[in-house]
C-alpha cells in the first residue's frame, strides 16, 4: 500500500471536486488550527473500535464479533487497547439489564489479538459504563451490585422508593490485577453501600443529620426517585499524584472524589488512608442540595458526563493540570455546556467555602455554542483538552465531535458515519444521517508513545463513497502536477464511465489512485493514447491519475 503525505494542490481543470457537501465523516477542517493527532471512538450498538486521522480515514480498527460497547475504550501508552464489551442489554438475558451495561474488559494488541480479558457479569453484579487503566498496569472497573428490598430498608432507604421492584442496584469499584489471559486478582474494592447517611428512619442503619455528613451519600436522594439505578454512576478517573479516584453520579448531579490510598478494609470504613477518611467522600461538587446544604439555585452540574482531571503534559505550563473538565449535559433548556472548575487540595483536604460547601463557588470556564441548541446532548457525551489549547467536544446524542478554539471557533467537525442499528456505514452525502450514539470521542497526539513503531498508514473512510472535506486532506503524489503547458491531457473531469489520457510522449505507466492512497488501476500501455474504462465499478469520490510516475492530476468520479 502506498502512503502519501498531505499538501495543498491546485486543480486546473476548473472542477471543484469538493463542491458536494460532506454530511458524515469530517465535514469541517481548518488544518492550521486543529490539534494534530488520531481520533479514537467506539460507537454504541455495534462492535468496532475506530482510530481515524483528522481527515476521517481509518488508521486502525479493532473488532469483537458478538459484542457491543459497554461503554468505554482507552488506548494505552504501549499501543494496546483496553475496551469494554457487552453481550446483551436485553431484560431477558438474566443479567442486570440497564443502559451502559457491560460484561467484559478486553486488552487487545494493535493487531486485534486479545491479550487478556476479565468478566463481571451475572444477575447480581455487572460492570458498566467505565473503566480506567492505572499506571501500575491494573484496571479500575465500575460495577453494579443488586441489593434486596430488605437490605435496602435496613440501610434506611424509604420503602416507597424501593417498593416498585423490591430491590436496588448499588455501585462498587474494583481494582483488578490482570492474571494470565482470562483472570485477575481484586486488589482493592470500594462500595458505595458502606458510606450512606439517612434522616428517614431513626430505627434503621445510617441514621444522622445529612447536612452534618457531606462525606456520606444520602440513600434517599434524589427525592422521589424510585428507579433501581438511582445513582447511575457513569464515569471514573484516577489522579496518580494524589492517589485519588473520581466518580460521576449524574442522578445526584455531582462528582465525588475518594481516597485510593486505603486498603480494602479501610475503604469500607470511615478511617484510614492519606485523608484518614477511609472510603468516605473527601470531595463532592455540583449540587449542594444532595447533602442538604443548598437548593436549586446552587446547582452547577446537570446530569453531567465524562468529568475528569485535565491531563498533565499538554503544554509546557501545565496551567490546567489538576482542574476538572466536564460535559454538562442538561445545563440549560435544550442546550449543553462544557465547563472547567478547580478544586483546591491543600495536601490533606479539599478546601470548603464559608458556607461549608466544597469550592469553588463557580466554574472557571464555560463553553456554550453561539446558538446554544447547536450543542445539546441530554445524555452520553464527553470532552477533552488538547495540546494546542483547543477542546475536543463529543456531543453524543447529536452523533458528532467538534474541536473548538479558546476563541470559540469550530475548526474541526466530525459526524459519526456508523449506522445506529446494523453497525454498517452511511453513504457520504446522505441528508440527515442517523449514526449511532457516541459515548466518548478522544484524540491522541501524533507523538503519543503508543504509536511508536506502529503502521499509521491511512486506508479508507468509514463512510461509503468517502471523500476529503477540503484540500487539507488531499494526497501528495510526490510528483509534478499536470499543468496547461505540459503535453498531457486528461478528460473528462468529472468522469462517469471512462477517462482518456493523451500525450505526445509514450504513456509508459498509468495509475488511478483513490483518496485513501489505494491503487485501483495500474497499467503500462506504452502508447500515446489510453482509455481507462468501466469506472462505474469504482465508488464515487476523489481519485488521482498518475502518469509515468512523474505527473498527476485529480479526477472526480460520480
Amino acid at each position: 500500500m502506498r502512503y502519501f503525505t498531505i499538501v495543498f494542490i491546485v486543480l486546473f481543470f476548473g472542477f471543484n471536486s469538493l463542491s458536494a457537501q460532506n454530511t458524515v465523516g469530517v465535514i469541517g477542517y481548518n488544518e492550521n488550527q486543529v490539534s494534530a493527532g488520531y481520533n479514537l471512538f467506539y460507537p454504541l450498538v455495534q462492535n468496532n473500535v475506530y482510530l481515524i486521522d483528522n481527515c476521517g480515514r481509518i488508521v486502525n480498527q479493532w473488532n469483537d464479533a458478538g459484542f457491543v460497547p459497554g461503554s468505554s475504550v482507552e488506548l494505552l501508552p504501549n499501543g494496546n487497547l483496553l475496551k469494554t464489551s457487552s453481550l446483551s442489554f436485553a431484560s431477558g438475558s438474566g443479567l442486570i439489564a440497564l443502559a451502559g451495561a457491560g460484561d467484559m474488559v478486553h486488552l487487545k494488541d494493535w493487531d486485534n489479538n486479545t491479550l487478556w480479558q476479565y468478566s463481571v457479569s451475572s444477575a447480581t453484579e455487572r460492570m458498566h459504563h467505565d473503566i480506567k487503566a492505572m499506571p501500575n498496569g491494573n484496571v479500575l472497573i465500575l460495577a453494579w451490585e443488586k441489593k434486596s428490598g430488605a437490605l435496602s430498608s435496613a440501610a434506611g432507604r424509604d420503602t416507597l422508593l424501593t417498593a416498585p421492584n423490591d430491590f436496588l442496584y448499588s455501585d462498587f469499584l474494583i481494582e483488578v490485577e490482570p492474571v494470565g489471559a482470562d483472570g485477575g486478582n481484586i486488589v482493592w474494592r470500594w462500595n458505595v453501600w458502606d458510606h450512606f447517611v439517612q434522616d428517614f428512619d431513626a430505627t434503621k442503619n445510617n441514621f444522622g443529620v445529612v447536612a452534618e455528613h457531606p462525606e456520606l451519600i444520602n440513600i434517599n436522594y434524589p427525592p422521589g426517585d424510585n428507579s433501581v439505578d438511582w445513582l447511575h454512576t457513569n464515569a471514573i478517573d484516577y489522579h496518580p499524584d494524589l492517589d485519588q479516584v473520581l466518580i460521576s453520579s449524574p442522578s445526584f448531579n455531582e462528582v465525588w472524589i475518594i481516597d485510593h490510598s486505603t486498603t480494602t478494609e479501610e475503604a469500607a470504613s470511615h478511617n484510614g488512608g492519606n485523608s484518614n477518611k477511609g472510603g468516605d467522600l473527601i470531595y463532592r461538587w455540583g449540587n449542594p442540595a444532595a447533602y442538604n446544604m443548598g437548593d436549586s439555585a446552587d446547582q452547577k452540574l446537570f446530569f453531567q458526563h465524562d468529568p475528569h482531571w485535565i491531563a498533565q503534559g499538554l503544554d509546557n505550563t501545565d496551567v490546567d493540570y489538576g482542574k476538572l473538565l466536564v460535559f454538562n449535559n442538561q445545563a440549560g433548556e435544550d442546550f449543553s455546556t462544557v465547563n472547567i472548575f478547580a478544586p483546591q487540595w491543600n495536601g490533606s483536604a479539599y478546601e470548603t467555602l464559608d458556607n461549608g460547601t466544597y469550592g469553588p463557588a463557580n466554574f472557571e470556564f464555560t463553553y456554550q455554542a453561539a446558538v446554544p441548541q447547536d450543542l445539546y446532548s441530554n445524555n452520553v457525551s464527553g470532552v477533552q483538552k488538547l495540546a494546542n489549547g483547543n477542546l475536543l467536544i463529543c456531543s453524543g446524542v447529536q452523533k458528532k465531535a467538534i474541536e473548538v478554539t479558546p476563541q470559540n471557533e469550530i475548526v474541526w467537525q466530525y459526524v459519526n458515519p456508523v449506522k445506529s442499528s446494523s453497525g454498517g456505514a452511511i453513504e457520504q452525502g446522505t441528508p440527515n444521517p442517523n449514526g449511532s450514539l457516541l459515548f466518548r470521542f478522544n484524540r491522541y497526539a501524533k507523538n503519543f508513545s503508543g504509536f511508536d513503531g506502529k503502521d499509521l498508514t491511512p486506508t479508507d473512510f468509514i463512510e461509503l463513497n468517502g471523500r476529503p472535506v477540503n484540500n487539507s486532506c488531499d494526497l501528495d503524489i510526490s510528483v509534478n502536477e499536470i499543468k496547461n503547458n505540459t503535453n498531457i491531457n486528461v478528460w473528462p473531469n468529472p468522469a462517469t464511465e471512462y477517462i482518456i489520457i493523451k500525450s505526445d510522449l509514450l504513456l509508459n505507466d498509468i495509475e488511478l489512485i483513490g483518496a485513501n492512497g489505494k491503487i485501483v488501476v495500474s497499467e503500462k500501455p506504452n502508447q500515446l493514447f489510453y482509455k481507462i474504462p468501466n469506472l462505474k465499478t469504482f465508488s464515487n469520490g476523489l481519485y488521482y491519475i498518475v502518469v509515468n510516475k512523474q505527473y498527476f492530476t485529480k479526477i472526480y468520479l460520480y
Side-chain angles (χ1 to χ4, degrees):
M1 179 185 295
R2 290 192 179 189
Y3 174 61
F4 307 103
T5 54
I6 298 173
V7 295
F8 179 80
I9 303 171
V10 178
L11 180 65
F12 82 91
F13 288 97
F15 175 76
N16 180 2
S17 65
L18 304 174
S19 60
Q21 183 178 3
N22 284 6
T23 59
V24 290
V26 180
I27 65 172
Y29 184 15
N30 183 333
E31 183 184 18
N32 295 325
Q33 294 181 274
V34 168
S35 185
Y38 299 94
N39 305 279
L40 185 76
F41 67 113
Y42 193 14
L44 297 180
V45 202
Q46 56 86 58
N47 54 33
N48 292 306
V49 178
Y50 296 98
L51 185 68
I52 61 171
D53 65 13
N54 281 345
C55 293
R57 299 169 298 197
I58 299 172
V59 172
N60 203 21
Q61 184 173 332
W62 297 263
N63 176 277
D64 271 314
F67 288 97
V68 295
S71 301
S72 66
V73 64
E74 183 177 358
L75 196 58
L76 305 184
N78 62 2
N80 290 336
L81 187 85
L82 192 68
K83 64 185 285 287
T84 58
S85 296
S86 178
L87 287 165
S88 174
F89 292 110
S91 58
S93 65
L95 304 173
I96 297 174
L98 297 169
D103 291 286
M104 300 189 78
V105 180
H106 298 271
L107 180 66
K108 289 180 168 286
D109 66 13
W110 188 260
D111 298 316
N112 199 40
N113 299 305
T114 299
L115 305 176
W116 173 75
Q117 59 189 22
Y118 185 85
S119 176
V120 183
S121 178
S122 72
T124 57
E125 291 187 351
R126 194 176 188 186
M127 56 178 287
H128 65 93
H129 283 94
D130 209 6
I131 55 175
K132 184 64 182 178
M134 303 186 71
N136 61 5
N138 296 346
V139 181
L140 275 176
I141 299 175
L142 180 63
W144 292 299
E145 59 180 345
K146 187 174 183 178
K147 299 290 187 179
S148 68
L151 284 175
S152 302
S153 177
R157 177 80 166 172
D158 183 348
T159 54
L160 291 178
L161 300 180
T162 310
N165 299 283
D166 199 33
F167 65 87
L168 191 67
Y169 292 129
S170 185
D171 287 273
F172 66 94
L173 283 172
I174 52 174
E175 179 184 345
V176 178
E177 175 190 25
V179 176
D182 194 12
N185 295 324
I186 297 176
V187 298
W188 181 82
R189 182 175 179 127
W190 175 88
N191 291 61
V192 70
W193 198 262
D194 298 320
H195 305 282
F196 285 146
V197 65
Q198 55 91 12
D199 56 8
F200 172 71
D201 190 339
T203 67
K204 302 295 177 61
N205 295 334
N206 306 310
F207 185 76
V209 179
V210 172
E212 294 179 359
H213 294 281
E215 76 280 8
L216 301 176
I217 298 160
N218 185 355
I219 195 173
N220 292 306
Y221 190 89
D225 186 352
N226 62 5
S227 61
V228 293
D229 186 25
W230 59 290
L231 292 166
H232 194 71
T233 56
N234 63 2
I236 52 175
D237 194 26
Y238 177 71
H239 195 303
D241 291 341
L242 300 178
D243 199 10
Q244 296 173 2
V245 175
L246 179 147
I247 307 168
S248 172
S249 175
S251 297
F252 275 59
N253 303 297
E254 284 189 302
V255 297
W256 302 330
I257 295 177
I258 58 175
D259 188 349
H260 176 263
S261 70
T262 57
T263 64
T264 294
E265 292 74 20
E266 289 171 336
S269 74
H270 310 292
N271 302 103
N274 294 335
S275 66
N276 199 32
K277 286 192 173 182
D280 288 345
L281 306 186
I282 59 175
Y283 179 79
R284 64 194 305 172
W285 198 84
N287 180 24
Y291 51 105
N292 289 358
M293 292 191 67
D295 55 28
S296 59
D298 302 305
Q299 185 174 340
K300 305 298 181 185
L301 297 179
F302 299 86
F303 209 74
Q304 76 285 341
H305 280 70
D306 194 27
H308 61 275
W309 281 286
I310 295 176
Q312 189 174 25
L314 288 179
D315 55 37
N316 294 329
T317 63
D318 269 332
V319 65
D320 288 328
Y321 178 54
K323 297 176 183 177
L324 292 176
L325 179 61
V326 62
F327 189 98
N328 205 359
N329 292 69
Q330 300 174 19
E333 185 175 355
D334 296 334
F335 71 85
S336 304
T337 62
V338 166
N339 301 102
I340 295 175
F341 60 101
Q344 298 301 310
W345 173 253
N346 63 20
S348 60
Y350 281 96
E351 296 181 359
T352 57
L353 303 176
D354 291 342
N355 63 2
T357 63
Y358 287 99
N362 213 330
F363 295 117
E364 181 177 294
F365 168 86
T366 296
Y367 170 79
Q368 180 177 313
V371 178
Q373 290 72 24
D374 286 348
L375 182 69
Y376 181 53
S377 181
N378 64 345
N379 62 84
V380 294
S381 308
V383 60
Q384 177 188 4
K385 183 76 177 291
L386 301 174
N388 63 355
N390 293 353
L391 292 172
L392 184 64
I393 301 171
C394 170
S395 184
V397 173
Q398 292 178 309
K399 300 110 174 179
K400 71 178 184 181
I402 59 174
E403 182 175 343
V404 180
T405 69
Q407 293 74 39
N408 293 346
E409 179 184 357
I410 297 176
V411 295
W412 187 85
Q413 185 165 347
Y414 187 83
V415 175
N416 180 26
V418 180
K419 290 182 180 178
S420 60
S421 54
S422 65
I426 297 170
E427 185 170 5
Q428 183 62 272
T430 301
N432 303 313
N434 183 28
S436 69
L437 300 183
L438 297 173
F439 185 65
R440 290 181 191 152
F441 193 104
N442 291 106
R443 183 170 301 159
Y444 293 80
K446 284 193 170 183
N447 63 357
F448 176 63
S449 62
F451 297 144
D452 293 346
K454 302 297 190 296
D455 182 5
L456 298 172
T457 303
T459 56
D460 209 347
F461 298 92
I462 299 173
E463 58 270 21
L464 303 177
N465 298 327
R467 56 178 178 246
V469 67
N470 59 24
N471 288 322
S472 299
C473 291
D474 285 341
L475 302 176
D476 179 7
I477 306 301
S478 301
V479 292
N480 301 311
E481 183 187 353
I482 296 175
K483 300 288 188 179
N484 285 323
N485 58 2
T486 66
N487 58 357
I488 302 172
N489 294 285
V490 180
W491 78 91
N493 190 13
T496 302
E497 298 180 355
Y498 61 86
I499 298 171
I500 292 174
I501 303 104
K502 183 178 180 182
S503 174
D504 294 339
L505 301 174
L506 281 177
L507 302 171
N508 297 316
D509 192 288
I510 292 175
E511 293 177 333
L512 180 65
I513 302 174
N516 55 19
K518 291 182 179 179
I519 300 173
V520 297
V521 172
S522 180
E523 299 289 347
K524 299 182 182 297
N526 293 317
Q527 57 193 44
L528 301 178
F529 176 94
Y530 188 72
K531 178 180 179 180
I532 302 177
N534 303 321
L535 296 183
K536 286 188 176 296
T537 61
F538 302 124
S539 300
N540 295 342
L542 176 68
Y543 290 78
Y544 294 83
I545 291 287
V546 180
V547 178
N548 292 350
K549 308 290 187 184
Q550 298 182 56
Y551 301 97
F552 79 93
T553 192
K554 293 193 290 188
I555 289 284
Y556 192 78
L557 306 186
Y558 75 100

